[in-house]
Amino acid sequence: MESQSFSPMLDRVMAQEIQSVSWSKTMDVCAILYVNNQLEICRVSEQLQRMFMIQEDDAISNIIVESTFLTYNVGNKLFLYHLASHQKIIQSTLIKSTDKIKQMLLVQVNVKIIKELELQAAIIPLSTTNLKNWQNLCFLKQQQINNIIFSLTNRQIAYNFNGILHLGEIEHKGINELYQLQNELHCFSDSTVEIYDISLMKHQQILKYIQQLSYLNELFCFLKTSILLINTQLQDIFKCYQLNIIGPLISFGPQESINFHILKFYQKGDCPQELVQFFQKELYNTKILQKMDDNITNSFNNIQEIIQDSLMNVLSRILIILNFFIQSKNMPFYQGLHKTPFEELQQTVQKIQKLFSRFQIECHQTKLHLRNFFVWLNLCAIKAGNEQEVECENVNSPLNKIEVDLSKLFDFLKDNHLFQLRNLQCFYQGKISPRTFFTKVVVQKNVEFKQTENITKILQNVFKDSYMDNVKQQQNQIEYEESFETVNSLIRELQNNLDKIAINLKPQLKNKINIDLSSSILRFSEKSEDSYLISVLKDNTIIQYTYQQQGFAKSKKIQFNNKFIKELQYFDGKLIILSTNQQQSSDLARTKQQKEEGLFNQLQLKAYISSGDLEIQNKFECHSIKDLQVSKKGLISIIIDSKKLIILSI
């Protein structure tokens, strides 16, 4: 190094090849991206102090480091991390297509906190649950972070609120870069600059509407998570019951007739060999019934907890926000804002509330039926497998200390729909009429039992003498109920109503300026109230323009003799330029060549960091140099020979 006008602050060889460095806009914090998709967030002083690391499977792009958070893209997704806690707060899809996001632009907006006491109950943290969806809103609300995020792809500019609520898109052809100035969005292509008015997105009345919709949207995500968790617990119950009860008894014949064989044994004492084997081989001297009871009871308790603490809680909050919109019918929605059918959404949410209230009761009753059934099966296993009643797992089981409720057992066995647990399955299926659930069962009186040696003691212990005498001869009455809607059908209805919520906030094109911007690099200065500088690198020449009063004026032209400009950045309105003494091939091609030919000693380069007046500030000798970045705090970072990170102070 021959000249050190910019003071060297750090010179460090990293363990991995560096792809890029991104600086915080307000702090001496940088994010170092490595070629293996690892992102290292560091504080910068005399040393690099690692804060935390992030590893992604796919390519990371568009890294933005703010004062309190870090955000980046992976494919079409947005990831947002809280810098202080190092926790991932938001993961969401920014665009509907799989197109690569070329640029992500954050436009900060200020939304006044809504003071309605009733509404505050809907946006405070859900303290009774650990579901993660709610972290998004808690973080954004506490940190007062509100951004309109513009995502540029090859075909469109999508924009949303805080990465949570999609607001719309602008179709385009050939836009390469976005820039924001006050209430304007400047869209740069090779030959034009399109200027859009985005003041509508910053209007307090509309932002208030958008903010509540983002809360509502996240609450529905929370609701979806709760419903899926309930379904997961439900599937665990079905799997356990199917594997240990229905599966082994399938030898009776069709699954639909299993309960009739057990009911026949219950009523007449006629115990077929298949049932004897089930008692003796599957249940006797094992802990299977106790484990089933523990697992299924635990799953039912989890369902109960999710419904009470999460699902019903979030449904109440949703209704609070929906009521806010319904009561705001006279709210003056400005140009571009479309009023939505919140009344229909409210009705659907109330249906879901009613459905899960019913489902909660059904779960509790089924849990009691299954516990009673397992107690009876445990008793049957003891009698069928051990007439002397010596010590065995079944005898020692806590189930053996519970008395069988024979009336409840009879109700369970006679109802095939209940026995197969379809009373629970139907809540997550399509529309079903409850009257199709039940099977006609004739209850006989004074049945003569055909007792066998194997079941004599079973009948003596299981059946109370007075029970069958008290059973009245009757045909099971099929109660008619109107067909009810299930979870799946209501979620589809909910989604249909949500799809009707349309916000048309498409920015208005206010100006289109013709200007030749075909270049390899386009760089912007810090913006003032209504102007900024732009530098265009074209054919190794920097052309500077000033934007002011709705137009661009050419202000300066910079040419280097015998140097090749590689990168340029603005700091405090002045250019900082990275150049080399010879044309440098692409890093990718050179890396490939090194791998194929084993060439690590490249031609020596001389690299220069210069100011806008062409005065050389720093000089380096290296094999490769890239990624000049300048922070607003006056720190310059460059990457030399792939792994060396050099930081200078202006």
Side-chain angles (χ1 to χ4, degrees), residues 332-348:
F333 295 120
Y334 294 86
Q335 179 184 4
L337 196 58
H338 176 65
K339 188 173 179 297
T340 54
F342 293 102
E343 291 83 357
E344 294 180 14
L345 206 52
Q346 183 187 52
Q347 292 174 0
T348 304

Side-chain angles (χ1 to χ4, degrees), residues 217 220-221 223-224 344-345 348-349 352 487-501:
N217 182 74
F220 279 122
C221 290
L223 175 64
K224 178 182 177 182
E344 294 180 14
L345 206 52
T348 304
V349 171
I352 294 175
V487 173
N488 291 349
S489 64
L490 285 177
I491 292 301
R492 284 193 296 270
E493 181 181 321
L494 186 67
Q495 189 59 58
N496 290 335
N497 290 332
L498 283 172
D499 290 341
K500 296 176 185 177
I501 297 181

Side-chain angles (χ1 to χ4, degrees), residues 233 292-303 367:
Q233 296 293 327
M292 283 182 63
D293 181 65
D294 291 342
N295 292 338
I296 289 178
T297 299
N298 184 59
S299 292
F300 274 123
N301 290 341
N302 289 339
I303 289 174
K367 180 176 74 171

Side-chain angles (χ1 to χ4, degrees), residues 102-103 151-157 170-179 185-196 509 512 522:
K102 296 164 58 176
Q103 181 190 356
S151 305
L152 173 65
T153 71
N154 288 327
R155 295 182 294 175
Q156 65 179 18
I157 304 168
I170 304 170
E171 301 298 327
H172 75 83
K173 293 181 180 178
I175 291 178
N176 301 315
E177 197 143 0
L178 305 176
Y179 187 80
L185 179 69
H186 293 197
C187 305
F188 292 82
S189 63
D190 289 343
S191 58
T192 61
V193 179
E194 296 178 358
I195 300 177
Y196 288 88
L509 179 63
K512 189 171 184 179
L522 203 65

Side-chain angles (χ1 to χ4, degrees), residues 114-126:
I114 295 178
K115 297 182 179 179
E116 290 91 330
L117 293 177
E118 182 184 26
L119 189 58
Q120 284 296 315
I123 58 179
I124 59 175
L126 288 168

Side-chain angles (χ1 to χ4, degrees), residues 4-99:
Q4 296 187 357
S5 296
F6 294 149
S7 304
M9 185 174 179
L10 186 101
D11 186 333
R12 179 170 169 181
V13 177
M14 311 303 283
Q16 305 176 58
E17 186 174 344
I18 307 169
Q19 183 171 320
S20 66
V21 176
S22 302
W23 286 98
S24 167
K25 295 180 180 180
T26 57
M27 302 183 296
D28 290 341
V29 172
C30 69
I32 304 171
L33 176 63
Y34 299 99
V35 294
N36 65 347
N37 298 321
Q38 193 174 63
L39 193 61
E40 182 178 10
I41 292 81
C42 300
R43 286 191 178 90
V44 180
S45 55
E46 294 180 356
Q47 295 181 344
L48 282 178
Q49 301 174 355
R50 179 191 294 175
M51 297 170 63
F52 61 101
M53 297 278 288
I54 299 170
Q55 180 70 59
E56 296 287 355
D57 294 331
D58 298 318
I60 297 173
S61 62
N62 303 316
I63 302 166
I64 299 174
V65 187
E66 293 284 354
S67 57
T68 57
F69 66 91
L70 159 80
T71 184
Y72 59 86
N73 296 136
V74 175
N76 64 350
K77 296 188 183 304
L78 167 78
F79 292 82
L80 189 147
Y81 281 77
H82 187 206
L83 289 179
S85 67
H86 311 164
Q87 296 297 311
K88 180 167 66 176
I89 305 300
I90 294 177
Q91 177 178 336
S92 62
T93 301
L94 284 179
I95 56 175
K96 298 177 182 178
S97 68
T98 57
D99 294 346

Side-chain angles (χ1 to χ4, degrees), residues 99-214:
D99 294 346
K100 180 181 178 181
I101 298 176
K102 296 164 58 176
Q103 181 190 356
M104 182 169 62
L105 177 67
L106 273 59
V107 176
Q108 188 171 2
V109 293
N110 296 316
V111 186
K112 295 179 181 177
I113 301 298
I114 295 178
K115 297 182 179 179
E116 290 91 330
L117 293 177
E118 182 184 26
L119 189 58
Q120 284 296 315
I123 58 179
I124 59 175
L126 288 168
S127 58
T128 55
T129 179
N130 61 357
L131 293 178
K132 294 182 178 180
N133 297 72
W134 196 256
Q135 290 179 349
N136 297 13
L137 299 185
C138 293
F139 174 78
L140 296 173
K141 180 174 179 290
Q142 291 167 1
Q143 302 296 328
Q144 295 185 352
I145 294 174
N146 291 294
N147 291 293
I148 304 294
I149 302 177
F150 292 90
S151 305
L152 173 65
T153 71
N154 288 327
R155 295 182 294 175
Q156 65 179 18
I157 304 168
Y159 44 98
N160 66 57
F161 182 71
N162 280 339
I164 296 175
L165 183 66
H166 180 75
L167 299 177
E169 56 274 324
I170 304 170
E171 301 298 327
H172 75 83
K173 293 181 180 178
I175 291 178
N176 301 315
E177 197 143 0
L178 305 176
Y179 187 80
Q180 180 243 338
L181 179 68
Q182 301 301 327
N183 292 328
E184 295 177 350
L185 179 69
H186 293 197
C187 305
F188 292 82
S189 63
D190 289 343
S191 58
T192 61
V193 179
E194 296 178 358
I195 300 177
Y196 288 88
D197 181 6
I198 59 172
S199 59
L200 189 65
M201 298 181 184
K202 293 186 171 186
H203 196 288
Q204 277 299 312
Q205 197 76 345
I206 293 177
L207 280 174
K208 183 178 179 181
Y209 182 89
I210 291 174
Q211 186 187 52
Q212 299 319 307
L213 277 181
S214 70

